[in-house]
mmCIF file of all heavy atoms in Angstrom:
data_model
loop_
_atom_site.group_PDB
_atom_site.id
_atom_site.type_symbol
_atom_site.label_atom_id
_atom_site.label_comp_id
_atom_site.label_asym_id
_atom_site.label_seq_id
_atom_site.Cartn_x
_atom_site.Cartn_y
_atom_site.Cartn_z
ATOM 1 N N LYS A 52 16.511 1.255 8.186
ATOM 2 C CA LYS A 52 17.356 1.982 9.131
ATOM 3 C C LYS A 52 18.822 1.724 8.817
ATOM 4 O O LYS A 52 19.180 0.794 8.092
ATOM 5 C CB LYS A 52 17.045 1.593 10.564
ATOM 6 C CG LYS A 52 17.245 0.145 10.921
ATOM 7 C CD LYS A 52 16.835 -0.086 12.369
ATOM 8 C CE LYS A 52 17.196 -1.489 12.829
ATOM 9 N NZ LYS A 52 16.472 -2.525 12.103
ATOM 10 N N ALA A 53 19.658 2.564 9.397
ATOM 11 C CA ALA A 53 21.100 2.517 9.126
ATOM 12 C C ALA A 53 21.666 1.134 9.392
ATOM 13 O O ALA A 53 21.305 0.474 10.363
ATOM 14 C CB ALA A 53 21.813 3.566 9.955
ATOM 15 N N ASP A 54 22.545 0.699 8.480
ATOM 16 C CA ASP A 54 23.251 -0.574 8.518
ATOM 17 C C ASP A 54 22.386 -1.772 8.157
ATOM 18 O O ASP A 54 22.891 -2.900 8.090
ATOM 19 C CB ASP A 54 23.917 -0.814 9.885
ATOM 20 C CG ASP A 54 24.938 0.256 10.217
ATOM 21 O OD1 ASP A 54 25.608 0.746 9.281
ATOM 22 O OD2 ASP A 54 25.049 0.624 11.392
ATOM 23 N N ASP A 55 21.109 -1.546 7.909
ATOM 24 C CA ASP A 55 20.259 -2.631 7.405
ATOM 25 C C ASP A 55 20.731 -3.029 6.020
ATOM 26 O O ASP A 55 21.131 -2.187 5.225
ATOM 27 C CB ASP A 55 18.794 -2.171 7.302
ATOM 28 C CG ASP A 55 18.008 -2.466 8.544
ATOM 29 O OD1 ASP A 55 18.593 -2.984 9.519
ATOM 30 O OD2 ASP A 55 16.796 -2.181 8.552
ATOM 31 N N LYS A 56 20.626 -4.321 5.723
ATOM 32 C CA LYS A 56 20.912 -4.791 4.371
ATOM 33 C C LYS A 56 19.642 -5.377 3.796
ATOM 34 O O LYS A 56 19.061 -6.299 4.381
ATOM 35 C CB LYS A 56 22.025 -5.842 4.386
ATOM 36 C CG LYS A 56 22.327 -6.420 3.002
ATOM 37 C CD LYS A 56 23.331 -7.567 3.071
ATOM 38 C CE LYS A 56 24.731 -7.071 3.256
ATOM 39 N NZ LYS A 56 25.736 -8.150 3.145
ATOM 40 N N GLY A 57 19.229 -4.853 2.675
ATOM 41 C CA GLY A 57 18.103 -5.439 1.954
ATOM 42 C C GLY A 57 18.633 -6.407 0.919
ATOM 43 O O GLY A 57 19.692 -6.187 0.339
ATOM 44 N N SER A 58 17.922 -7.513 0.704
ATOM 45 C CA SER A 58 18.378 -8.471 -0.288
ATOM 46 C C SER A 58 17.190 -9.191 -0.911
ATOM 47 O O SER A 58 16.169 -9.413 -0.258
ATOM 48 C CB SER A 58 19.342 -9.492 0.326
ATOM 49 O OG SER A 58 18.701 -10.221 1.348
ATOM 50 N N ASN A 59 17.361 -9.548 -2.182
ATOM 51 C CA ASN A 59 16.308 -10.259 -2.906
ATOM 52 C C ASN A 59 16.864 -10.680 -4.259
ATOM 53 O O ASN A 59 17.552 -9.894 -4.927
ATOM 54 C CB ASN A 59 15.089 -9.356 -3.097
ATOM 55 C CG ASN A 59 13.906 -10.086 -3.716
ATOM 56 O OD1 ASN A 59 13.795 -11.299 -3.626
ATOM 57 N ND2 ASN A 59 13.023 -9.338 -4.355
ATOM 58 N N LYS A 60 16.597 -11.881 -4.662
ATOM 59 C CA LYS A 60 16.970 -12.400 -5.984
ATOM 60 C C LYS A 60 18.460 -12.240 -6.261
ATOM 61 O O LYS A 60 18.858 -12.041 -7.418
ATOM 62 C CB LYS A 60 16.178 -11.681 -7.085
ATOM 63 C CG LYS A 60 14.676 -11.862 -6.994
ATOM 64 C CD LYS A 60 13.973 -11.143 -8.148
ATOM 65 C CE LYS A 60 12.475 -11.306 -8.037
ATOM 66 N NZ LYS A 60 11.767 -10.599 -9.133
ATOM 67 N N GLY A 61 19.287 -12.308 -5.233
ATOM 68 C CA GLY A 61 20.730 -12.193 -5.414
ATOM 69 C C GLY A 61 21.232 -10.765 -5.366
ATOM 70 O O GLY A 61 22.441 -10.526 -5.355
ATOM 71 N N PHE A 62 20.325 -9.798 -5.341
ATOM 72 C CA PHE A 62 20.696 -8.395 -5.217
ATOM 73 C C PHE A 62 20.788 -8.014 -3.743
ATOM 74 O O PHE A 62 20.040 -8.525 -2.923
ATOM 75 C CB PHE A 62 19.660 -7.492 -5.896
ATOM 76 C CG PHE A 62 19.610 -7.586 -7.380
ATOM 77 C CD1 PHE A 62 18.794 -8.522 -8.000
ATOM 78 C CD2 PHE A 62 20.377 -6.748 -8.168
ATOM 79 C CE1 PHE A 62 18.739 -8.624 -9.372
ATOM 80 C CE2 PHE A 62 20.327 -6.835 -9.550
ATOM 81 C CZ PHE A 62 19.513 -7.775 -10.152
ATOM 82 N N GLU A 63 21.711 -7.101 -3.454
ATOM 83 C CA GLU A 63 21.862 -6.609 -2.082
ATOM 84 C C GLU A 63 22.110 -5.104 -2.109
ATOM 85 O O GLU A 63 22.687 -4.576 -3.065
ATOM 86 C CB GLU A 63 23.075 -7.263 -1.399
ATOM 87 C CG GLU A 63 22.937 -8.726 -1.127
ATOM 88 C CD GLU A 63 24.163 -9.260 -0.384
ATOM 89 O OE1 GLU A 63 25.218 -8.608 -0.418
ATOM 90 O OE2 GLU A 63 24.045 -10.342 0.221
#
Side-chain angles (χ1 to χ4, degrees):
Chain A
K52 61 182 188 296
D54 299 325
D55 268 3
K56 177 186 283 188
S58 61
N59 186 24
K60 299 181 181 179
F62 291 89
E63 292 183 341

